[in-house]
Amino acid sequence: EMGKIKSTTKYGGSATGYAVLDVLGTGSFTMNGGRIETAVGENPADDGNFGIGVNDNATVTINDGFVTAGWYAISGNGSNKSQNTVININGGELSSIGDTGIYLPQNGTTNIAGGKIVGKSGIAIKAGSLNITGGEIIANGEYKSPSVPSNNGNNPNGSAIQIETNDSYAPVKHIEIGGTAVVKSEKGAAVTQYQKENNQNSFGDSGETVVITGGTITGAADKSAFEVSDEAKDDITVTGGKFSSNIEDFVPSGMEVTEGGDSFTIVEKPNAAAKIGTAVYATLGDAIEAAKSKTVEITILKNLTEDVVIEEGQNITLDLNGMTVTNISDHTIVNKGTLTVKGTGVIDNITHAKAA
């Protein structure tokens, strides 16, 4: 029989719920097998403890084994606003009977390359960065829309990835989903985002961006793949993957959605003008607008005729990529921010000899 670490007392209410294992300071924990079980009592959804607590600058790596919790299988601490935890999930199965599989209220980075995460919500993130390249994230709880934000823990809403922007916590920095990841809600939208009313870091204010380059994102039969606030839409970019509903609102202007059977995928339009990473845009102006105040590199994909403006606060590296950018009627480039030009190519002006 597989070895086991088991909780025998009911939930005690400390910062990480009297987790069976608390990792503190600069400590590290690696799980290569066995079981951690904290679903105790007659009502494990209420009585069960957290599985693994991650605090301060600690590192937790799960390669195999099972963590079965009454509450969170893995949880950070929202008071960690400047520390940097690291969580790596490469295999194994993490499950919560009564709450969320993994709860991320702390500053830090979580990388999911494999394994299976199951809960009423799969992962709830309020702070830090989340990178998902593989594995399964499954939500099995009842879907709640709109969700109810919380300043103490989270209220699972039945989505596989539950994003809450809330200025009581450090900001959400970056979320990326790609590779072979499977993100699925059995009763609701697969990915949700919301902010706490009148006390919020809305998308764009705290710098966070959601990028989806691959994977399979599936909502319940009567729900969409995404449910997000209007403020969040411009900060979610989809350039690849397979989806259970049409996600055209999140696709860059140089790409389009195609439907095949019961799923939707993204393809590149012909004659695209520029790209940022995997995101392709119909015009250079579209790419500059999408960059917002982030530091980005834009690559020119063909010879262009445009007048563009780089706004104050933008930091853009423009890779000419051997192409020529020519104006229409004004300055070719009006730069109010920070602009770096690299690569071979030409920025030209044919109307009044002012390229920039």
Side-chain angles (χ1 to χ4, degrees), residues 6-356:
K6 184 175 181 179
S7 172
T8 59
T9 58
K10 295 181 180 181
Y11 171 71
S14 71
T16 49
Y18 290 153
V20 165
L21 177 69
D22 247 344
V23 190
L24 306 173
T26 58
S28 66
F29 168 69
T30 300
M31 186 172 183
N32 291 323
R35 293 181 179 273
I36 293 176
E37 296 182 356
T38 73
V40 299
E42 295 180 0
N43 184 4
D46 292 331
D47 297 337
N49 292 295
F50 298 7
I52 300 170
V54 190
N55 300 270
D56 307 320
N57 295 297
T59 298
V60 168
T61 300
I62 309 296
N63 295 319
D64 201 356
F66 297 85
V67 180
T68 304
W71 280 30
Y72 313 122
I74 294 180
S75 175
N77 186 337
S79 64
N80 286 14
K81 295 184 178 182
S82 59
Q83 298 93 330
N84 287 283
T85 64
V86 176
I87 301 172
N88 301 307
I89 310 297
N90 301 313
E93 183 170 328
L94 309 171
S95 61
S96 169
I97 292 176
D99 212 289
T100 298
I102 297 180
Y103 175 50
L104 304 172
Q106 80 281 14
N107 192 52
T109 300
T110 299
N111 304 303
I112 299 173
K116 186 175 184 179
I117 300 160
V118 181
K120 288 187 174 181
S121 284
I123 298 173
I125 179 169
K126 288 184 177 179
S129 299
L130 173 62
N131 306 303
I132 305 173
T133 58
E136 298 177 78
I137 299 96
I138 309 296
N140 57 24
E142 295 299 324
Y143 191 55
K144 301 173 184 177
S145 178
S147 300
V148 179
S150 172
N151 278 341
N152 185 17
N154 85 292
N155 296 313
N157 68 353
S159 61
I161 307 294
Q162 180 179 337
I163 308 163
E164 180 184 333
T165 51
N166 184 323
D167 63 7
S168 297
Y169 297 80
V172 177
K173 294 179 178 177
H174 186 75
I175 299 171
E176 186 155 347
I177 303 171
T180 59
V182 174
V183 177
K184 180 180 179 181
S185 173
E186 295 179 354
K187 300 178 182 179
V191 178
T192 62
Q193 178 275 341
Y194 62 98
Q195 60 266 347
K196 184 179 178 184
E197 186 178 1
N198 299 323
N199 184 22
Q200 59 195 34
N201 282 330
S202 62
F203 273 47
D205 292 337
S206 54
E208 63 267 45
T209 301
V210 179
V211 177
I212 299 179
T213 61
T216 302
I217 317 297
T218 307
D222 59 340
K223 300 293 189 298
S224 61
F226 294 165
E227 183 177 300
V228 301
S229 63
D230 290 340
E231 295 89 346
K233 287 183 178 179
D234 290 341
D235 284 87
I236 298 177
T237 302
V238 177
T239 63
K242 183 178 179 182
F243 302 84
S244 61
S245 64
N246 193 328
I247 35 75
E248 61 185 1
D249 288 346
F250 308 97
V251 174
S253 61
M255 311 182 87
E256 59 187 355
V257 176
T258 62
E259 183 177 1
D262 58 354
S263 64
F264 298 80
T265 55
I266 297 93
V267 297
E268 187 175 320
K269 293 179 181 177
N271 299 315
K275 70 176 181 177
I276 302 173
T278 59
V280 180
Y281 297 89
T283 68
L284 175 57
D286 286 349
I288 292 172
E289 181 180 359
K292 295 190 175 181
S293 60
K294 297 183 285 289
T295 298
V296 301
E297 180 171 310
I298 299 174
T299 302
I300 305 298
L301 300 178
K302 67 175 184 177
N303 294 330
L304 299 174
T305 302
E306 291 188 49
D307 301 338
V308 298
V309 177
I310 296 171
E311 299 291 351
E312 183 178 356
Q314 292 192 293
N315 189 340
I316 291 173
T317 296
L318 188 63
D319 184 353
L320 296 177
N321 192 31
M323 306 300 171
T324 298
V325 182
T326 305
N327 78 311
I328 297 173
S329 60
D330 200 346
H331 297 281
T332 311
I333 301 175
V334 174
N335 179 32
K336 301 177 184 179
T338 300
L339 172 64
T340 302
V341 177
K342 75 174 198 178
T344 60
V346 177
I347 300 174
D348 200 2
N349 189 293
I350 61 173
T351 60
H352 55 288
K354 293 182 179 179

